[in-house]
Structures are given as structure tokens and as C-alpha cells.
Amino acid sequence: MVTKILSAIPLGFSGELVRVECDMNKGLPSLSIVGLPNTTVSEARDRVRSAIVNSGFVFPARKITINLAPAEIKKEGTGLDLPIAIAILAGSGQIEKMAKEVFKEKAQKSPENDAFKGSRSVCLTKKLSKMLFAGELSLNGEICAIPGVINAVEIARSTGIETVYVPPESLPYAKLVKGIEIRSTNNLRELILSIVDEESDCVANDTTLRLTPALQGEHVIFDNVHGQIQAKRALIIAIAGRHNILLSGPPGTGKTMLARAAHSLLPPLDDEELIDVVKIRGLVSATTLITAERPFRAPHHSASAASLVGGGSRATPGEISLAHHGVLFLDEFPEFPRNLIEALRQPLEDRTVTVSRANCKLSYPANFMLIATENPCPCGFLGDPDRECSCSPIQIASYSKKISGPILDRFDMRVRVERVKTRELAISPHSSTRHEHETAQKQIERALARQRARGIGNSEIASRDMGELCRIEESGLELLRGAADKLSLSMRSYFKIQRVARTIADIENSEKVEVAHVAEALQYRKESR
């Protein structure tokens, strides 16, 4: 008789249901695992054997074959340890034996209960068929956390499975998925007991989801940045509409501080966004903070292509996916290798990235807001009225070519950040009142409320819906058309200006996009170099 236990593995941003089939026959005692397991899964033989014995069960002295179906999909990770152990214990009759012992003990305590019937094994088989198990086993039988637990729970819910058993450390992440029963126990023996006895107190009963509070003290706020009124205004617009923005200017003007101040202005994640963010983080690490704070990823310019875009031997998500629903901050943008900069083209348009390898092709979401900073030249003082540029024309041209025209065209806003005058720096830092920060938060929330009412973010408005969602008065359209002809704007730039103007109108609480809103959006589209 073949015993079947259900499990799941993460496969990109989704998951794949895995049937763990166990067959026991006469022959030399052995345990073999087939079905394209990788080295980690193959090593489960030793972990499962020790976990079963140290949990007080008997490892069967028979020829055991474990098949992981579907066999054509490569199985990775340690999450299959637990279902393999369950399959062996069920196939050897030890779960049924424990059920009889538990039932007999209860019958002695309560004589009015019926005696154990032979159909009990049938009931256990039916119960196991509606359960999914995922977890790593330690040698003493403890159940350890695994990455990708949300993927497993979501695939279980979509296939009609009623109950999912996950490790205790993974329980908070699994609880993010609604509409399915999530259970957890500390070790293998307690898990078997909870299967045969629904009244067992071994199952973790704490179902409260606790969000880790944001660490406000670590953030830069607008009040920490002196001056830069225009740059602050541009950043508020960019955050309110999730527009990509490039800050350009001499070194020391506050570009990096402005970009980092954006983190404190980002609105909190909603429930669906929180699941997506934790799900992506869970593919990289088995444990991570659960917080409503939006991601803010700032990779160094020495990052590899696999770490930025995604990939590696396991085709894991990169920084652009870890920044999903948040901000990707690229400081000193031209210092990044040209191939990494060009790799951002497709994700910026499609808001998703596909990682292709010889044995797999996986897609991850990458709906992020890009904030980048740059100096105008290698020395940084090109166009500075107070300091002379020391770069040669060849150096300036070579530096500018690091960021291609197609990449520049994907920035909704390009802003020049000028040097702050010394008299503005003389203001005492103790006089800061957080007034600018609070005002900016109110403006952003006002714009976001209008976008929620429309049912779509301004940066996601399709060109075919511009006439309906970005209603521009006739004088504004004339200004935009004239500027498009004079500046030879691309179609992408033409529609991006309309989206930015729509965001400005939302901040000003205006239903129609007026000519002043279009004029302000046009000034953020001019060359920043």
C-alpha cells in the first residue's frame, strides 16, 4: 500500500503542490528518495531517520521508497522533511497505533464513549488527505522554520486543502493568509498527537498577528534637510504618485538625505501589499520582520547583477523585487556598471522581472519606485556657480554616457539640486518643529486618497485611460503639445508628464488638471544635466 502526504515547495513567486508518496516492501533496509531531489532534499534521509527515532517512534526496517511527485519539477529546500516523516509513520501504521492508544485511554476515562471501530484507520487516511505539511526536522524531532511558507499556504488554499501544519517560527507569516486553518506544533511527536486527537493542547493557539513597529528614530525627515524647497516639493510629488525621480547636483547638496527622507514619508502597507512583501522576503530568509513599513532598499554600486535583478543558482529574487511596493534607492547612479543600469529597463516598464536559467524560468514582482542620485560630472561641479569644474570634455562625455537615453526617459521627474547658501545653514537645528514633515505627509495622504477613489495609482494609468483619468483643460493640453514639439518628447515622456500633472492636481485637491499643474510637471521633465 502506498501512502500519500501533501506538501508544497516555493516556485518563484508562487508555489507547487508536491505529493510525497511512500512505499514499503520487503528487502534490505534502506531509504531512497526519487523525484528530482537536490542535495538538500536527499540529505533528508538522515534527518528524518534520527527525528523519528528520537521522537519515540520506530524507524521501519524495510526497503522504503519516497517519490516526490510531480517528478519533472526539481525539489529544493528542507521543507519536505516533515511530510516525508509523516508518510513513513503513516505507512508503517504508527500513526494508527497512536490513535488506538489515545482512543483507548479516552474510552477508559469516559465509558459512555463507543469502542474503537475498525473504520478509524479510514478516517485517519481521509483526514491526512486534507492536510498539508511543510517544515524542516532537526535530529531530535523539533520542527524548524523554512523559507517560502506563505507560498505553501497559498497553494494549499487554492487547491481546497483544509489544514496546513507549519513550523512555530513560521506561524506568524502563515497567519497572513486568510481562509485556511493554520496549525503548528513544536516537534514531530506533538504533531502526530494533534492529528489523532483534535482536542490535544499541543497545537499553538496564539493566532494574533503582531506587526513590528517602525523604528521612527532611524529615519531622516524633511526637517533635517535645510533649504531645497524645490527638491522637497518634487519629492513629495514623486512619493504621492509613485513616480521615478532622479536627483542631480554637486556633492554635499543633500541629495542622499532627501532620498532617505522619502522613507519616512511612505504610506504604510495595506493587507495585500503586506502579504506580497513578506512573501518575497520569505523566499530569501526563513525569518523576517513583519512590519507595515514599506521596503527601502539601497544596494551599493558594487552589487552583482544577480543580487540586483535576481538569479544565482537558485534563481532567488533580487533587490528590485525586495523593493516591491517600496523604494529602490540607487545612490551615485552613474557609478553602477552599465549592464546593471540597463537591466532596469524592462522591470521599470513591466513592474515584473523574469529570471531565466537552464533548468527554470521564474517571475517575481518588481513594482518599485526608483530614486536615484547623480553628480553632473566626475568631479561633481559642472554647472556650479561657485566652483569650477576640473573635468575634461572627454571625461564629462564618458560620464554622461553611463546613463543611456532610454533609462533617462524612464524617469518621470529629473530635478537639479543646487548648493544651499551658507546663511540658510546658520539656522539652529533646535528650532526644527517637524512642520515640513507633517505638511508633506498630509499632502501625500490627500493625493493617495483621491487615487484610491479612482481605483488606480497615477503612475499605473495606461495611456488609453488618460482622457478619462487625467482630464486636462484645453489650455493645459495646448501647453503640453507645444512643449512636446519643441522639446521633441517621446511618447513615453508625453504620457509621464500627464501622470505627474495628475498627481500635482491631486495634491492641490483639484478634480481637473489645470495649466499650472502641466507647467510644473514640464519643469520636472527638463534635462537635469
Side-chain angles (χ1 to χ4, degrees):
M1 178 180 170
V2 176
T3 304
K4 297 180 181 180
I5 299 296
L6 295 177
S7 186
I9 57 172
L11 195 64
F13 194 60
S14 59
E16 181 70 26
L17 195 68
V18 175
R19 298 189 310 275
V20 179
E21 302 173 346
C22 176
D23 180 46
M24 295 186 184
N25 288 308
K26 295 180 180 179
L28 292 176
S30 63
L31 173 58
S32 59
I33 302 176
V34 298
L36 276 184
N38 71 343
T39 304
T40 306
V41 179
S42 298
E43 289 175 347
R45 294 190 299 262
D46 299 318
R47 291 192 297 272
V48 168
R49 186 189 302 271
S50 297
I52 288 177
V53 173
N54 292 326
S55 297
F57 298 102
V58 177
F59 193 85
R62 308 189 71 178
K63 182 180 179 181
I64 304 173
T65 303
I66 300 292
N67 178 46
L68 307 176
E72 69 271 10
I73 297 176
K74 189 173 183 179
K75 317 303 186 303
E76 297 182 346
T78 57
L80 295 174
D81 289 6
L82 183 58
I84 290 174
I86 300 294
I88 293 174
L89 293 175
S92 61
Q94 297 185 67
I95 296 181
E96 182 182 351
K97 180 180 178 181
M98 176 178 279
K100 291 179 179 179
E101 293 175 352
V102 170
F103 188 86
K104 183 178 180 180
E105 182 179 352
K106 283 192 171 185
Q108 291 176 348
K109 293 180 179 179
S110 302
E112 65 275 7
N113 287 344
D114 295 334
F116 182 83
K117 296 181 174 61
S119 61
R120 186 69 177 180
S121 59
V122 178
C123 294
L124 278 173
T125 303
K126 186 176 180 181
K127 182 186 291 188
L128 288 172
S129 67
K130 297 180 180 180
M131 294 180 174
L132 185 143
F133 303 88
E136 177 185 338
L137 287 176
S138 66
L139 298 183
N140 62 356
E142 292 182 355
I143 304 174
C144 307
I146 56 170
V149 69
I150 294 182
N151 301 55
V153 176
E154 285 185 337
I155 195 67
R157 184 181 61 179
S158 64
T159 53
I161 294 172
E162 298 177 354
T163 307
V164 178
Y165 276 89
V166 299
E169 290 181 84
S170 303
L171 185 60
Y173 315 111
K175 286 291 183 182
L176 291 172
V177 183
K178 307 300 181 183
I180 188 170
E181 183 183 7
I182 310 295
R183 307 184 110 199
S184 178
T185 61
N186 294 318
N187 54 60
L188 179 60
R189 187 167 189 85
E190 290 181 356
L191 188 146
I192 301 301
L193 182 59
S194 69
I195 293 174
V196 301
D197 184 8
E198 296 180 353
E199 299 177 0
S200 171
D201 58 356
C202 299
V203 178
N205 294 317
D206 186 6
T207 60
T208 305
L209 175 62
R210 297 183 179 89
L211 296 180
T212 303
L215 303 178
Q216 300 292 343
E218 293 186 356
H219 292 323
V220 177
I221 62 173
F222 263 14
D223 300 87
N224 301 136
V225 184
H226 291 287
Q228 303 299 0
I229 303 301
Q230 183 185 26
K232 289 178 179 178
R233 166 72 174 177
L235 198 59
I236 291 171
I237 296 170
I239 296 171
R242 291 184 62 79
H243 303 295
N244 302 322
I245 183 171
L246 174 64
L247 303 174
S248 176
T253 54
K255 301 186 298 295
T256 302
M257 282 191 70
L258 282 167
R260 294 195 176 277
H263 192 191
S264 61
L265 292 174
L266 296 174
L269 295 164
D270 60 31
D271 293 342
E272 292 184 3
E273 291 173 338
L274 178 62
I275 293 177
D276 289 346
V277 170
V278 177
K279 186 176 175 181
I280 293 174
R281 291 174 179 170
L283 296 174
V284 178
S285 173
T287 56
T288 183
L289 292 178
I290 301 178
T291 173
E293 191 176 75
R294 290 185 182 271
F296 186 90
R297 307 293 298 189
H300 191 258
H301 59 74
S302 62
S304 65
S307 66
L308 184 67
V309 180
S313 59
R314 296 177 52 225
T316 54
E319 291 289 338
I320 63 174
S321 294
L322 292 170
H324 184 56
H325 293 314
V327 169
L328 178 67
F329 173 42
L330 301 181
D331 202 9
E332 303 295 343
F333 196 38
E335 297 301 325
F336 283 80
R338 177 72 180 266
N339 66 311
L340 291 190
I341 295 176
E342 295 301 316
L344 295 174
R345 282 197 197 185
Q346 179 260 335
L348 284 172
E349 286 295 312
D350 300 340
R351 304 180 189 275
T352 184
V353 61
T354 300
V355 181
S356 297
R357 292 294 180 267
N359 59 349
C360 64
K361 184 178 180 181
L362 305 176
S363 294
Y364 297 105
N367 185 7
F368 58 89
M369 171 187 169
L370 176 61
I371 301 179
T373 66
E374 67 162 1
N375 294 325
C377 66
C379 77
F381 299 106
L382 180 65
D384 193 322
D386 300 323
R387 296 191 61 173
E388 184 178 354
C389 175
S390 60
C391 302
S392 66
I394 296 178
Q395 288 176 316
I396 295 174
S398 176
Y399 188 79
S400 299
K401 287 181 179 178
K402 288 186 176 181
I403 303 178
S404 65
I407 288 294
L408 277 176
D409 203 41
R410 282 165 168 78
F411 282 99
D412 305 61
M413 307 170 69
R414 301 200 289 268
V415 181
R416 173 81 180 189
V417 183
E418 300 293 351
R419 188 180 301 279
V420 180
K421 301 300 181 183
T422 307
R423 60 177 176 271
E424 295 184 44
L425 298 176
I427 301 174
S428 171
H430 299 291
S431 63
S432 177
T433 61
R434 294 176 67 97
H435 175 71
E436 284 183 300
H437 180 77
E438 294 173 358
T439 302
Q441 284 182 320
K442 292 177 181 177
Q443 291 176 331
I444 292 171
E445 179 54 38
R446 182 162 60 239
L448 290 174
R450 297 183 69 90
Q451 293 172 63
R452 284 192 294 267
R454 286 194 294 268
I456 188 172
N458 289 341
S459 64
E460 300 174 353
I461 298 176
S463 56
R464 63 179 179 274
D465 299 326
M466 286 294 179
E468 179 184 353
L469 300 179
C470 292
R471 288 180 290 173
I472 304 177
E473 60 183 18
E474 190 59 34
S475 57
L477 281 174
E478 291 179 5
L479 175 63
L480 179 58
R481 290 167 186 156
D485 293 336
K486 186 176 180 179
L487 301 176
S488 300
L489 295 177
S490 66
M491 292 298 293
R492 180 188 289 114
S493 298
Y494 181 80
F495 289 120
K496 282 185 178 294
I497 290 171
Q498 292 189 49
R499 296 184 184 105
V500 174
R502 176 69 268 176
T503 301
I504 296 172
D506 288 339
I507 291 176
E508 302 299 331
N509 210 22
S510 173
E511 185 65 31
K512 184 176 287 188
V513 180
E514 302 173 359
V515 64
H517 305 146
V518 177
E520 184 177 0
L522 278 168
Q523 78 170 358
Y524 297 130
R525 196 64 191 175
K526 64 184 180 181
E527 289 295 333
S528 59
R529 303 185 177 199

